[in-house]
Amino acid sequence: MAGEPYQEETEKAFSSSPESSSLETQNFGTTVSIYNDYVKPRESLPRRIVESFKRDPNAKAIPKGGIGANGKVFDVEAAAIATAESPLARKLKGRHLQMIAIGGSIGTGLFVASGKSLSTGGPASVLIAYTLIGAMLYCTVQALGEMAVLFPVAGSFAAYSTRFLDPAWGFAMGWNYAMQWLVVLPLEVVSASITVEFWGSNISAAVWVAIFLTIIICINLFGVRAYGEAEFVFSIVKVIAVIGFIILGIILDIGGGPNGSYIGGKYWINPGAFNNGFKGLCSVFVTAAFAFAGTELVGLAAAETANPRKSLPTAVKQVFWRITLFYVVSLTLVGLLVRYDDGRLIGSSDSDAKASPFVIAIENAGIKGLDSVMNVVIMIAVISVGNSAVYGSSRTLAALAEQSQAPACFAYIDRKGRPLIAILFSSSLGLLAFLAVSKNEQDAFVWMQALSGLSSIFTWGSICLAHIRFRRAWVLQGNSIDDLAYKSQAGVIGSWIGFLFNILVLFAQFWTGIAPPPRSNGTRITGASDLTINFFQAYMAMPIVMIFFLGHKLWYWKGRWGVRAADMDLKSGMRELNLAELVAEERLEQAAWPKWKKYYKIMC
């Protein structure tokens, strides 16, 4: 028929059209209609939410064969691989890390617990202790930054202790750090109940506890991106508040307040710069450590950062400004504006203490309304640190499980990269905050703070020692220091300084634990029972760490202590395998920078 050739030609023309190139062809000149292809419809929002909580099918927390056949052989190499291949979501950006480093964990340790430091040791002790702890922490974070840029693995410093020191010590440090943050969550919410009562609220403390816990849990259930965004906003508020207080404090001290009276340094003369002498200074160290706790979170977040090689160095350098500006400068002004024997300070008397020294300084100036604004900032700080507590404890528990050092259920990572079981477990410990409605809320505050503060000393000391051992292994295995993507500005010397200073703080805290300084009213702690309670409040973390360390060591005993430098795994966890070429390119780029930019990058 006349129509058949025409029909055949049009069919061939259609088969060679651009659209047909994306269709499946069965035979030359024929096509399968696009309408025969099945396209799965987009699921409803509730369904997608439910599906997101299911376990990631590609996530294998513990590699097969990682544990020996007898069940008692700990495989260090398998543990390193497990943390390196963690399926945690990598959604944190540079701005998130920078704000986490600058203001992420500024909370009750600075705003509230510093009142106890001022009451116990006086303004000079506060300045000395916080400066020394800050200098030590600067060296520590620099060491952590060097390792975290090279190995952005899950668990960070706990994993570094397992890899570079001893698996038993890594086990102890992991649980030490997890427990630290597990108690910080209820501690921060208990602090909220103390500060909320500043307004004389008749609402039960249990209501405030429930509100804060709900907010914190919801933020963490939305994933690491929500955590990063929340911390970005919270940190901005805290940074603005502290800078504002510094400006206000300078004005008030030189007589620019409503009262118009010049203060200067008269409180350093009467009642004095020190309280309880050298022992008072030593007793401030653990409170200062509690205030700085969380600075190392920037290293823990490396495993969930899109580009840690670019973001981490900047964030680590900014820790210097956080220490100098937000702690040393602000607390110096607090010591100038508030007497250490003020009855409103926490720990200064047996009366109820509901205000921070920052609020007291504003109250003393007679500025109406601003003290309430500062209390609102403290509320935001409570949510921020509680948020960090759930993040820090859940990620550490997940990393421990990935290394077979915790129950395997904690390694459950859902399809959105959230360690779901660990988050729920960490959040459940927040229920301890309902102690705020009991008559012993002040005792709960002291016990939780004691455990949290000294735990940080162990963590920081381990980071410094792990860095020392890592550097030795790096050189011993034929690598050059110049090949490191980021080098600690403090170097190995800084790590030795940080490690030895942490040891000195442990000795100082032991001394004040067995021979405590007098109370603010002049009385001394006497009696075996009271002295025992005081010792464990000051040194609770030590027996806990040793139980975990020795228990793991004896269970997996291999006849030697530590990991030899020649046997350390320096490959697993590197995100860029062509690191040497990337570093060389970056240094050529940096050589072309103008001088002002080079100086700026050294500090920031």
Side-chain angles (χ1 to χ4, degrees):
M1 292 183 180
E4 289 181 14
Y6 174 79
Q7 183 178 2
E8 183 178 356
E9 287 175 7
T10 55
E11 186 177 7
K12 289 181 179 180
F14 175 75
S15 68
S16 60
S17 64
E19 290 82 5
S20 67
S21 62
S22 61
L23 303 176
E24 297 180 11
T25 60
Q26 292 179 333
N27 298 305
F28 181 78
T30 64
T31 63
V32 178
S33 172
I34 190 171
Y35 299 106
N36 291 335
D37 293 339
Y38 174 71
V39 179
K40 186 177 180 181
R42 184 177 176 85
E43 296 176 334
S44 64
L45 179 61
R47 181 66 179 175
R48 295 202 307 271
I49 293 175
V50 172
E51 289 291 326
S52 71
F53 288 105
K54 291 185 177 180
R55 187 164 197 157
D56 184 351
N58 299 318
K60 294 183 179 180
I62 305 172
K64 294 181 179 180
I67 305 299
N70 62 356
K72 295 180 63 174
V73 178
F74 187 84
D75 194 328
V76 181
E77 183 178 354
I81 294 173
T83 54
E85 297 177 351
S86 175
L88 293 172
R90 297 173 180 177
K91 295 183 178 180
L92 289 179
K93 297 181 179 179
R95 62 184 178 89
H96 297 141
L97 277 188
Q98 290 174 28
M99 294 312 296
I100 290 172
I102 292 175
S105 60
I106 295 177
T108 53
L110 175 63
F111 290 127
V112 180
S114 57
K116 181 182 178 182
S117 298
L118 182 61
S119 173
T120 303
S125 293
V126 170
L127 179 59
I128 293 171
Y130 277 77
T131 301
L132 291 177
I133 291 288
M136 175 269 294
L137 194 56
Y138 173 76
C139 297
T140 302
V141 175
Q142 285 289 322
L144 176 61
E146 180 178 305
M147 293 186 291
V149 169
L150 192 62
F151 305 109
V153 300
S156 189
F157 27 84
Y160 300 148
S161 293
T162 297
R163 186 185 291 203
F164 302 131
L165 298 178
D166 190 291
W169 190 250
F171 173 75
M173 287 301 97
W175 278 103
N176 169 70
Y177 194 72
M179 287 191 297
Q180 171 189 341
W181 283 115
L182 287 173
V183 300
V184 162
L185 175 58
L187 172 61
E188 293 299 312
V189 184
V190 167
S191 301
S193 71
I194 294 176
T195 53
V196 165
E197 293 181 16
F198 170 80
W199 292 291
S201 173
N202 294 324
I203 300 176
S204 172
V207 175
W208 295 108
V209 166
I211 292 173
F212 282 114
L213 277 178
T214 302
I215 293 173
I216 292 169
I217 293 170
C218 287
I219 290 174
N220 279 273
L221 286 179
F222 274 102
V224 68
R225 182 66 179 271
Y227 164 77
E229 294 294 349
E231 283 305 302
F232 182 77
V233 175
F234 293 154
S235 295
I236 288 177
V237 173
K238 290 185 286 185
V239 166
I240 293 174
V242 173
I243 293 175
F245 177 83
I246 290 173
I247 297 172
L248 176 64
I250 294 173
I251 294 173
L252 294 177
D253 191 62
I254 61 176
N259 298 332
S261 59
Y262 175 78
I263 299 174
K266 68 178 183 180
Y267 294 149
W268 282 56
I269 300 173
N270 181 26
F274 292 93
N275 188 26
N276 299 317
F278 183 67
K279 189 173 290 185
L281 170 63
C282 292
S283 65
V284 172
F285 278 121
V286 73
T287 310
F290 169 74
F292 281 109
T295 307
E296 69 288 338
L297 272 174
V298 67
L300 190 66
E304 296 178 86
T305 303
N307 191 350
R309 190 171 54 84
K310 291 285 188 180
S311 305
L312 268 177
T314 300
V316 165
K317 292 173 188 175
Q318 290 175 349
V319 170
F320 171 81
W321 299 109
R322 170 188 171 176
I323 293 170
T324 304
L325 187 63
F326 302 142
Y327 287 90
V328 177
V329 175
S330 65
L331 289 177
T332 299
L333 288 168
V334 164
L336 292 172
L337 299 173
V338 181
R339 298 168 60 99
Y340 72 70
D341 58 356
D342 192 305
R344 292 166 292 179
L345 291 172
I346 286 181
S348 60
S349 69
D350 295 330
S351 63
D352 290 338
K354 306 300 181 185
S356 81
F358 289 78
V359 174
I360 293 173
I362 295 172
E363 281 184 328
N364 291 344
I367 304 176
K368 295 182 179 180
L370 195 56
D371 51 353
S372 293
V373 173
M374 197 67 198
N375 250 30
V376 171
V377 173
I378 295 174
M379 293 298 98
I380 293 174
V382 166
I383 299 175
S384 174
V385 180
N387 188 31
S388 297
V390 176
Y391 176 82
S393 57
S394 62
R395 269 57 180 184
T396 304
L397 287 173
L400 286 170
E402 288 171 347
Q403 298 175 85
S404 301
Q405 294 178 333
C409 62
F410 290 135
Y412 183 100
I413 310 292
D414 67 16
R415 297 182 181 185
K416 293 295 183 181
R418 296 168 295 203
L420 189 59
I421 302 300
I423 289 175
L424 295 177
F425 177 77
S426 302
S427 301
S428 68
L429 268 292
L431 298 176
L432 290 174
F434 284 100
L435 290 171
V437 299
S438 72
K439 296 181 179 179
N440 299 320
E441 74 172 337
Q442 290 291 335
D443 292 336
F445 187 94
V446 172
W447 279 102
M448 292 178 186
Q449 179 189 328
L451 177 60
S452 175
L454 203 60
S455 296
S456 298
I457 299 297
F458 284 103
T459 298
W460 298 335
S462 298
I463 291 172
C464 292
L465 188 58
H467 179 246
I468 294 169
R469 295 285 296 152
F470 157 72
R471 277 289 190 95
R472 173 173 172 77
W474 184 258
V475 175
L476 188 65
Q477 294 186 24
N479 300 293
S480 171
I481 301 299
D482 292 332
D483 293 336
L484 294 171
Y486 174 74
K487 289 188 287 186
S488 167
Q489 293 178 336
V492 177
I493 294 177
S495 294
W496 274 113
I497 292 172
F499 175 70
L500 294 175
F501 191 80
N502 277 287
I503 299 298
L504 290 176
V505 171
L506 290 176
F507 278 117
Q509 192 63 20
F510 181 81
W511 178 45
T512 57
I514 60 175
R519 298 187 180 98
S520 298
N521 58 10
T523 61
R524 291 184 175 274
I525 299 175
T526 57
S529 177
D530 290 342
L531 286 172
T532 301
I533 291 174
N534 180 80
F535 174 77
F536 280 104
Q537 285 180 344
Y539 228 65
M540 186 192 301
M542 172 63 84
I544 293 176
V545 167
M546 296 312 298
I547 288 172
F548 276 100
F549 171 66
L550 294 176
H552 187 282
K553 196 67 186 177
L554 293 175
W555 184 261
Y556 293 105
W557 177 251
K558 292 184 178 180
R560 71 169 186 266
W561 299 84
V563 180
R564 294 185 300 180
D567 298 332
M568 292 179 188
D569 182 4
L570 300 181
K571 299 296 182 183
S572 300
M574 282 191 184
R575 201 171 288 186
E576 288 94 0
L577 298 179
N578 57 335
L579 186 62
E581 291 82 355
L582 291 173
V583 171
E585 290 176 5
E586 288 176 358
R587 287 179 180 162
L588 286 174
E589 178 185 348
Q590 293 168 4
W593 287 350
K595 286 186 177 180
W596 68 267
K597 190 173 184 179
K598 291 179 180 178
Y599 291 131
Y600 172 79
K601 286 296 183 180
I602 290 175
M603 301 304 297
C604 298

